[in-house]
Amino acid sequence: MTARLAALAVISVLAASCGAGDGADRAASSEGGSLVVGVRNATVPQASLYWAAAKGYFKDAGLNLSIKVGEAAHSAQLVAGQVDLSMGAQGAWFGVINSGKRVTAIYGTDSGISGWVVTSSDSVKTPTDCKSVTTAGPGTVLYAWTRQLEKVYDVEWKLTQLTTVPAIAANVVGGRTDCATGNVSFYQSGIDSGKLRVILDPTDKSSLPPGWPALGVEDVFGGIPERLKEKKPAVERFLKAYDTALSDYLAADSKEIARTLISYDPEWAAVGSEDVLAEAVEKFKPLLSPDKGYISEDVWSRTLAFYQTGGLDFLASDPSRFGYASAVDMSYYKAAIGE
């Protein structure tokens, strides 16, 4: 969920975790068209996509779908044309756009994924007690959240910026910083073992402080406009199948989801045990598909404001490149879902 290294890299690190293995390039055979969807790796923000593939939604839609893991090269594989569509953090795509390559978002997959704060210190009760915080690099959703939280709580934390989820988790578990920000799935094993405590849960609306940031979208499905146009029928078929699958995913038992994911691709076990994965899946569900995936102009405006406050100063330098008309294309959504 995280621009992943150099502003792009970690956001896929932060919308994801450790790598996926043999199951990550699985394809469902069909005759109705093919599509390669890129992800950074297999962690909870990608769970709905993997679950839909495992349950045969794309195959039933007549789509031969492959999921291609990119790791740190996640953004690069989209630019290089190695994937047709990518599931990743919007901050990463802003970085790609800023480098001169157009990327358009076509569906908002989640919002609010990295607003948790955790600690291993018994003396830290609230985010205001944190003096030092582990986060990721500028341009990532994690860094954006960290800066937003400093603003909300009127604090200035001493930041340690790391580039991988295991390193971030180990840093706070080891007490090298008081706290860490990020997606709760990064820390679920530590929470369940008692090594970490959550001191801010953004899904608990009653605990949110005044001035909570008005978010847009964090992760999206997006692609290079020319490739999207070339693969238009397959992209539309994909969105329709994913939308159907998502409704079922949200209603499904989270432990059964975890069981399905681990069976489909054993790399899902890297998130933790079946129970740990199920708990993370359940916590993540309320953050999925804001506005049913539709990205409106208002949502986009809030997205730009969130990332600009979170460190992407270049967003203000050339509004035409990052504006709604250039960086969002809802025509695929409308054709697929009929809204």
Side-chain angles (χ1 to χ4, degrees), residues 43-71:
T43 51
V44 180
Q46 291 76 40
S48 55
L49 173 65
Y50 276 84
W51 184 83
K55 301 295 280 187
Y57 284 86
F58 302 117
K59 182 178 180 180
D60 291 346
L63 189 63
N64 182 355
L65 183 98
S66 298
I67 300 174
K68 184 176 179 64
V69 174
E71 300 274 344

PDB file of all heavy atoms in Angstrom, residues 43-71:
ATOM      1  N   THR A  43      -0.530  -8.871   0.499  1.00  0.00           N
ATOM      2  CA  THR A  43      -0.938  -8.598   1.873  1.00  0.00           C
ATOM      3  C   THR A  43      -2.369  -8.098   1.857  1.00  0.00           C
ATOM      4  O   THR A  43      -2.997  -7.994   0.805  1.00  0.00           O
ATOM      5  CB  THR A  43      -0.023  -7.583   2.572  1.00  0.00           C
ATOM      6  OG1 THR A  43       0.104  -6.441   1.741  1.00  0.00           O
ATOM      7  CG2 THR A  43       1.340  -8.173   2.867  1.00  0.00           C
ATOM      8  N   VAL A  44      -2.879  -7.752   3.016  1.00  0.00           N
ATOM      9  CA  VAL A  44      -4.318  -7.554   3.189  1.00  0.00           C
ATOM     10  C   VAL A  44      -4.938  -6.542   2.216  1.00  0.00           C
ATOM     11  O   VAL A  44      -6.054  -6.770   1.753  1.00  0.00           O
ATOM     12  CB  VAL A  44      -4.630  -7.184   4.656  1.00  0.00           C
ATOM     13  CG1 VAL A  44      -6.125  -6.960   4.863  1.00  0.00           C
ATOM     14  CG2 VAL A  44      -4.162  -8.312   5.570  1.00  0.00           C
ATOM     15  N   PRO A  45      -4.294  -5.448   1.846  1.00  0.00           N
ATOM     16  CA  PRO A  45      -4.937  -4.557   0.869  1.00  0.00           C
ATOM     17  C   PRO A  45      -5.232  -5.220  -0.467  1.00  0.00           C
ATOM     18  O   PRO A  45      -6.126  -4.791  -1.193  1.00  0.00           O
ATOM     19  CB  PRO A  45      -3.916  -3.419   0.711  1.00  0.00           C
ATOM     20  CG  PRO A  45      -3.186  -3.403   2.003  1.00  0.00           C
ATOM     21  CD  PRO A  45      -3.069  -4.844   2.415  1.00  0.00           C
ATOM     22  N   GLN A  46      -4.497  -6.281  -0.792  1.00  0.00           N
ATOM     23  CA  GLN A  46      -4.727  -7.003  -2.047  1.00  0.00           C
ATOM     24  C   GLN A  46      -5.616  -8.228  -1.873  1.00  0.00           C
ATOM     25  O   GLN A  46      -5.882  -8.953  -2.830  1.00  0.00           O
ATOM     26  CB  GLN A  46      -3.386  -7.449  -2.645  1.00  0.00           C
ATOM     27  CG  GLN A  46      -2.511  -6.336  -3.167  1.00  0.00           C
ATOM     28  CD  GLN A  46      -1.825  -5.575  -2.052  1.00  0.00           C
ATOM     29  OE1 GLN A  46      -1.372  -6.151  -1.076  1.00  0.00           O
ATOM     30  NE2 GLN A  46      -1.773  -4.264  -2.183  1.00  0.00           N
ATOM     31  N   ALA A  47      -6.088  -8.468  -0.652  1.00  0.00           N
ATOM     32  CA  ALA A  47      -6.792  -9.718  -0.363  1.00  0.00           C
ATOM     33  C   ALA A  47      -8.045  -9.893  -1.214  1.00  0.00           C
ATOM     34  O   ALA A  47      -8.338 -11.000  -1.682  1.00  0.00           O
ATOM     35  CB  ALA A  47      -7.153  -9.789   1.120  1.00  0.00           C
ATOM     36  N   SER A  48      -8.785  -8.821  -1.433  1.00  0.00           N
ATOM     37  CA  SER A  48     -10.028  -8.944  -2.203  1.00  0.00           C
ATOM     38  C   SER A  48      -9.750  -9.375  -3.637  1.00  0.00           C
ATOM     39  O   SER A  48     -10.513 -10.151  -4.227  1.00  0.00           O
ATOM     40  CB  SER A  48     -10.797  -7.618  -2.184  1.00  0.00           C
ATOM     41  OG  SER A  48      -9.987  -6.544  -2.650  1.00  0.00           O
ATOM     42  N   LEU A  49      -8.651  -8.880  -4.228  1.00  0.00           N
ATOM     43  CA  LEU A  49      -8.288  -9.263  -5.589  1.00  0.00           C
ATOM     44  C   LEU A  49      -7.915 -10.742  -5.652  1.00  0.00           C
ATOM     45  O   LEU A  49      -8.389 -11.483  -6.520  1.00  0.00           O
ATOM     46  CB  LEU A  49      -7.112  -8.406  -6.069  1.00  0.00           C
ATOM     47  CG  LEU A  49      -6.500  -8.789  -7.415  1.00  0.00           C
ATOM     48  CD1 LEU A  49      -7.500  -8.578  -8.546  1.00  0.00           C
ATOM     49  CD2 LEU A  49      -5.220  -7.998  -7.669  1.00  0.00           C
ATOM     50  N   TYR A  50      -7.059 -11.172  -4.737  1.00  0.00           N
ATOM     51  CA  TYR A  50      -6.649 -12.574  -4.728  1.00  0.00           C
ATOM     52  C   TYR A  50      -7.833 -13.497  -4.440  1.00  0.00           C
ATOM     53  O   TYR A  50      -7.955 -14.574  -5.027  1.00  0.00           O
ATOM     54  CB  TYR A  50      -5.548 -12.789  -3.684  1.00  0.00           C
ATOM     55  CG  TYR A  50      -4.156 -12.480  -4.164  1.00  0.00           C
ATOM     56  CD1 TYR A  50      -3.664 -11.182  -4.148  1.00  0.00           C
ATOM     57  CD2 TYR A  50      -3.322 -13.490  -4.621  1.00  0.00           C
ATOM     58  CE1 TYR A  50      -2.376 -10.893  -4.575  1.00  0.00           C
ATOM     59  CE2 TYR A  50      -2.029 -13.221  -5.044  1.00  0.00           C
ATOM     60  CZ  TYR A  50      -1.563 -11.916  -5.022  1.00  0.00           C
ATOM     61  OH  TYR A  50      -0.291 -11.641  -5.455  1.00  0.00           O
ATOM     62  N   TRP A  51      -8.694 -13.092  -3.520  1.00  0.00           N
ATOM     63  CA  TRP A  51      -9.858 -13.911  -3.183  1.00  0.00           C
ATOM     64  C   TRP A  51     -10.768 -14.054  -4.394  1.00  0.00           C
ATOM     65  O   TRP A  51     -11.265 -15.151  -4.681  1.00  0.00           O
ATOM     66  CB  TRP A  51     -10.606 -13.269  -2.011  1.00  0.00           C
ATOM     67  CG  TRP A  51     -11.770 -14.067  -1.504  1.00  0.00           C
ATOM     68  CD1 TRP A  51     -11.731 -15.104  -0.618  1.00  0.00           C
ATOM     69  CD2 TRP A  51     -13.146 -13.875  -1.847  1.00  0.00           C
ATOM     70  NE1 TRP A  51     -13.004 -15.575  -0.377  1.00  0.00           N
ATOM     71  CE2 TRP A  51     -13.890 -14.835  -1.124  1.00  0.00           C
ATOM     72  CE3 TRP A  51     -13.822 -12.990  -2.674  1.00  0.00           C
ATOM     73  CZ2 TRP A  51     -15.286 -14.931  -1.214  1.00  0.00           C
ATOM     74  CZ3 TRP A  51     -15.204 -13.077  -2.773  1.00  0.00           C
ATOM     75  CH2 TRP A  51     -15.925 -14.042  -2.051  1.00  0.00           C
ATOM     76  N   ALA A  52     -10.996 -12.954  -5.114  1.00  0.00           N
ATOM     77  CA  ALA A  52     -11.837 -13.012  -6.312  1.00  0.00           C
ATOM     78  C   ALA A  52     -11.241 -13.967  -7.346  1.00  0.00           C
ATOM     79  O   ALA A  52     -11.966 -14.729  -7.992  1.00  0.00           O
ATOM     80  CB  ALA A  52     -12.003 -11.615  -6.909  1.00  0.00           C
ATOM     81  N   ALA A  53      -9.919 -13.935  -7.493  1.00  0.00           N
ATOM     82  CA  ALA A  53      -9.272 -14.855  -8.426  1.00  0.00           C
ATOM     83  C   ALA A  53      -9.398 -16.295  -7.943  1.00  0.00           C
ATOM     84  O   ALA A  53      -9.714 -17.203  -8.729  1.00  0.00           O
ATOM     85  CB  ALA A  53      -7.800 -14.477  -8.592  1.00  0.00           C
ATOM     86  N   ALA A  54      -9.177 -16.506  -6.650  1.00  0.00           N
ATOM     87  CA  ALA A  54      -9.246 -17.857  -6.094  1.00  0.00           C
ATOM     88  C   ALA A  54     -10.640 -18.453  -6.222  1.00  0.00           C
ATOM     89  O   ALA A  54     -10.792 -19.665  -6.447  1.00  0.00           O
ATOM     90  CB  ALA A  54      -8.822 -17.833  -4.625  1.00  0.00           C
ATOM     91  N   LYS A  55     -11.662 -17.624  -6.102  1.00  0.00           N
ATOM     92  CA  LYS A  55     -13.047 -18.099  -6.150  1.00  0.00           C
ATOM     93  C   LYS A  55     -13.604 -18.168  -7.567  1.00  0.00           C
ATOM     94  O   LYS A  55     -14.758 -18.547  -7.762  1.00  0.00           O
ATOM     95  CB  LYS A  55     -13.934 -17.200  -5.285  1.00  0.00           C
ATOM     96  CG  LYS A  55     -13.527 -17.136  -3.819  1.00  0.00           C
ATOM     97  CD  LYS A  55     -13.670 -18.473  -3.105  1.00  0.00           C
ATOM     98  CE  LYS A  55     -15.100 -18.741  -2.697  1.00  0.00           C
ATOM     99  NZ  LYS A  55     -15.201 -19.966  -1.862  1.00  0.00           N
ATOM    100  N   GLY A  56     -12.809 -17.780  -8.552  1.00  0.00           N
ATOM    101  CA  GLY A  56     -13.215 -17.955  -9.933  1.00  0.00           C
ATOM    102  C   GLY A  56     -14.088 -16.872 -10.533  1.00  0.00           C
ATOM    103  O   GLY A  56     -14.677 -17.069 -11.602  1.00  0.00           O
ATOM    104  N   TYR A  57     -14.148 -15.708  -9.913  1.00  0.00           N
ATOM    105  CA  TYR A  57     -15.003 -14.633 -10.433  1.00  0.00           C
ATOM    106  C   TYR A  57     -14.541 -14.154 -11.812  1.00  0.00           C
ATOM    107  O   TYR A  57     -15.358 -13.867 -12.683  1.00  0.00           O
ATOM    108  CB  TYR A  57     -15.037 -13.452  -9.463  1.00  0.00           C
ATOM    109  CG  TYR A  57     -15.911 -13.691  -8.255  1.00  0.00           C
ATOM    110  CD1 TYR A  57     -15.413 -14.340  -7.127  1.00  0.00           C
ATOM    111  CD2 TYR A  57     -17.238 -13.271  -8.249  1.00  0.00           C
ATOM    112  CE1 TYR A  57     -16.214 -14.569  -6.017  1.00  0.00           C
ATOM    113  CE2 TYR A  57     -18.045 -13.491  -7.130  1.00  0.00           C
ATOM    114  CZ  TYR A  57     -17.533 -14.140  -6.023  1.00  0.00           C
ATOM    115  OH  TYR A  57     -18.327 -14.371  -4.934  1.00  0.00           O
ATOM    116  N   PHE A  58     -13.250 -14.052 -12.000  1.00  0.00           N
ATOM    117  CA  PHE A  58     -12.741 -13.562 -13.285  1.00  0.00           C
ATOM    118  C   PHE A  58     -12.899 -14.627 -14.372  1.00  0.00           C
ATOM    119  O   PHE A  58     -13.259 -14.315 -15.507  1.00  0.00           O
ATOM    120  CB  PHE A  58     -11.290 -13.116 -13.135  1.00  0.00           C
ATOM    121  CG  PHE A  58     -11.106 -12.048 -12.096  1.00  0.00           C
ATOM    122  CD1 PHE A  58     -10.326 -12.278 -10.961  1.00  0.00           C
ATOM    123  CD2 PHE A  58     -11.737 -10.821 -12.227  1.00  0.00           C
ATOM    124  CE1 PHE A  58     -10.174 -11.301  -9.998  1.00  0.00           C
ATOM    125  CE2 PHE A  58     -11.588  -9.831 -11.262  1.00  0.00           C
ATOM    126  CZ  PHE A  58     -10.813 -10.079 -10.151  1.00  0.00           C
ATOM    127  N   LYS A  59     -12.661 -15.855 -14.009  1.00  0.00           N
ATOM    128  CA  LYS A  59     -12.864 -16.947 -14.958  1.00  0.00           C
ATOM    129  C   LYS A  59     -14.323 -17.009 -15.394  1.00  0.00           C
ATOM    130  O   LYS A  59     -14.627 -17.174 -16.580  1.00  0.00           O
ATOM    131  CB  LYS A  59     -12.438 -18.266 -14.329  1.00  0.00           C
ATOM    132  CG  LYS A  59     -12.576 -19.462 -15.261  1.00  0.00           C
ATOM    133  CD  LYS A  59     -12.076 -20.723 -14.579  1.00  0.00           C
ATOM    134  CE  LYS A  59     -12.214 -21.929 -15.516  1.00  0.00           C
ATOM    135  NZ  LYS A  59     -11.729 -23.179 -14.866  1.00  0.00           N
ATOM    136  N   ASP A  60     -15.233 -16.861 -14.435  1.00  0.00           N
ATOM    137  CA  ASP A  60     -16.663 -16.893 -14.757  1.00  0.00           C
ATOM    138  C   ASP A  60     -17.065 -15.739 -15.660  1.00  0.00           C
ATOM    139  O   ASP A  60     -18.058 -15.829 -16.398  1.00  0.00           O
ATOM    140  CB  ASP A  60     -17.494 -16.850 -13.471  1.00  0.00           C
ATOM    141  CG  ASP A  60     -17.379 -18.132 -12.657  1.00  0.00           C
ATOM    142  OD1 ASP A  60     -16.875 -19.143 -13.205  1.00  0.00           O
ATOM    143  OD2 ASP A  60     -17.767 -18.132 -11.472  1.00  0.00           O
ATOM    144  N   ALA A  61     -16.303 -14.638 -15.590  1.00  0.00           N
ATOM    145  CA  ALA A  61     -16.590 -13.475 -16.439  1.00  0.00           C
ATOM    146  C   ALA A  61     -15.938 -13.613 -17.813  1.00  0.00           C
ATOM    147  O   ALA A  61     -15.990 -12.678 -18.617  1.00  0.00           O
ATOM    148  CB  ALA A  61     -16.095 -12.204 -15.761  1.00  0.00           C
ATOM    149  N   GLY A  62     -15.332 -14.767 -18.086  1.00  0.00           N
ATOM    150  CA  GLY A  62     -14.695 -14.977 -19.373  1.00  0.00           C
ATOM    151  C   GLY A  62     -13.369 -14.270 -19.515  1.00  0.00           C
ATOM    152  O   GLY A  62     -12.990 -13.852 -20.607  1.00  0.00           O
ATOM    153  N   LEU A  63     -12.656 -14.141 -18.393  1.00  0.00           N
ATOM    154  CA  LEU A  63     -11.411 -13.377 -18.389  1.00  0.00           C
ATOM    155  C   LEU A  63     -10.263 -14.257 -17.931  1.00  0.00           C
ATOM    156  O   LEU A  63     -10.341 -14.925 -16.899  1.00  0.00           O
ATOM    157  CB  LEU A  63     -11.550 -12.175 -17.447  1.00  0.00           C
ATOM    158  CG  LEU A  63     -10.439 -11.135 -17.458  1.00  0.00           C
ATOM    159  CD1 LEU A  63     -10.352 -10.458 -18.823  1.00  0.00           C
ATOM    160  CD2 LEU A  63     -10.706 -10.088 -16.372  1.00  0.00           C
ATOM    161  N   ASN A  64      -9.216 -14.270 -18.702  1.00  0.00           N
ATOM    162  CA  ASN A  64      -7.990 -14.961 -18.334  1.00  0.00           C
ATOM    163  C   ASN A  64      -7.123 -13.963 -17.567  1.00  0.00           C
ATOM    164  O   ASN A  64      -6.463 -13.120 -18.163  1.00  0.00           O
ATOM    165  CB  ASN A  64      -7.279 -15.444 -19.604  1.00  0.00           C
ATOM    166  CG  ASN A  64      -6.003 -16.219 -19.301  1.00  0.00           C
ATOM    167  OD1 ASN A  64      -5.579 -16.325 -18.160  1.00  0.00           O
ATOM    168  ND2 ASN A  64      -5.382 -16.738 -20.339  1.00  0.00           N
ATOM    169  N   LEU A  65      -7.145 -14.065 -16.248  1.00  0.00           N
ATOM    170  CA  LEU A  65      -6.489 -13.073 -15.397  1.00  0.00           C
ATOM    171  C   LEU A  65      -5.232 -13.624 -14.758  1.00  0.00           C
ATOM    172  O   LEU A  65      -5.243 -14.724 -14.201  1.00  0.00           O
ATOM    173  CB  LEU A  65      -7.441 -12.599 -14.295  1.00  0.00           C
ATOM    174  CG  LEU A  65      -6.834 -11.511 -13.403  1.00  0.00           C
ATOM    175  CD1 LEU A  65      -7.312 -10.143 -13.852  1.00  0.00           C
ATOM    176  CD2 LEU A  65      -7.158 -11.739 -11.938  1.00  0.00           C
ATOM    177  N   SER A  66      -4.159 -12.865 -14.836  1.00  0.00           N
ATOM    178  CA  SER A  66      -2.918 -13.185 -14.127  1.00  0.00           C
ATOM    179  C   SER A  66      -2.615 -12.062 -13.146  1.00  0.00           C
ATOM    180  O   SER A  66      -2.821 -10.886 -13.449  1.00  0.00           O
ATOM    181  CB  SER A  66      -1.742 -13.324 -15.100  1.00  0.00           C
ATOM    182  OG  SER A  66      -1.956 -14.374 -16.009  1.00  0.00           O
ATOM    183  N   ILE A  67      -2.105 -12.421 -11.981  1.00  0.00           N
ATOM    184  CA  ILE A  67      -1.640 -11.441 -11.003  1.00  0.00           C
ATOM    185  C   ILE A  67      -0.115 -11.496 -11.003  1.00  0.00           C
ATOM    186  O   ILE A  67       0.475 -12.551 -10.765  1.00  0.00           O
ATOM    187  CB  ILE A  67      -2.189 -11.738  -9.594  1.00  0.00           C
ATOM    188  CG1 ILE A  67      -3.717 -11.702  -9.604  1.00  0.00           C
ATOM    189  CG2 ILE A  67      -1.640 -10.717  -8.594  1.00  0.00           C
ATOM    190  CD1 ILE A  67      -4.345 -12.141  -8.278  1.00  0.00           C
ATOM    191  N   LYS A  68       0.502 -10.372 -11.297  1.00  0.00           N
ATOM    192  CA  LYS A  68       1.966 -10.316 -11.405  1.00  0.00           C
ATOM    193  C   LYS A  68       2.542  -9.487 -10.264  1.00  0.00           C
ATOM    194  O   LYS A  68       2.215  -8.310 -10.106  1.00  0.00           O
ATOM    195  CB  LYS A  68       2.372  -9.712 -12.749  1.00  0.00           C
ATOM    196  CG  LYS A  68       3.881  -9.695 -13.001  1.00  0.00           C
ATOM    197  CD  LYS A  68       4.188  -9.168 -14.394  1.00  0.00           C
ATOM    198  CE  LYS A  68       5.686  -9.125 -14.660  1.00  0.00           C
ATOM    199  NZ  LYS A  68       6.294 -10.467 -14.647  1.00  0.00           N
ATOM    200  N   VAL A  69       3.388 -10.112  -9.475  1.00  0.00           N
ATOM    201  CA  VAL A  69       4.005  -9.448  -8.329  1.00  0.00           C
ATOM    202  C   VAL A  69       5.230  -8.662  -8.788  1.00  0.00           C
ATOM    203  O   VAL A  69       6.075  -9.181  -9.515  1.00  0.00           O
ATOM    204  CB  VAL A  69       4.399 -10.479  -7.260  1.00  0.00           C
ATOM    205  CG1 VAL A  69       5.169  -9.814  -6.121  1.00  0.00           C
ATOM    206  CG2 VAL A  69       3.150 -11.171  -6.722  1.00  0.00           C
ATOM    207  N   GLY A  70       5.319  -7.406  -8.352  1.00  0.00           N
ATOM    208  CA  GLY A  70       6.417  -6.559  -8.785  1.00  0.00           C
ATOM    209  C   GLY A  70       7.447  -6.238  -7.737  1.00  0.00           C
ATOM    210  O   GLY A  70       8.533  -5.779  -8.059  1.00  0.00           O
ATOM    211  N   GLU A  71       7.089  -6.463  -6.433  1.00  0.00           N
ATOM    212  CA  GLU A  71       8.000  -6.069  -5.364  1.00  0.00           C
ATOM    213  C   GLU A  71       8.389  -4.593  -5.539  1.00  0.00           C
ATOM    214  O   GLU A  71       7.539  -3.765  -5.850  1.00  0.00           O
ATOM    215  CB  GLU A  71       9.217  -6.993  -5.339  1.00  0.00           C
ATOM    216  CG  GLU A  71       8.870  -8.447  -5.100  1.00  0.00           C
ATOM    217  CD  GLU A  71       8.748  -8.812  -3.637  1.00  0.00           C
ATOM    218  OE1 GLU A  71       9.218  -8.035  -2.774  1.00  0.00           O
ATOM    219  OE2 GLU A  71       8.188  -9.882  -3.351  1.00  0.00           O
TER     220      GLU A  71
END
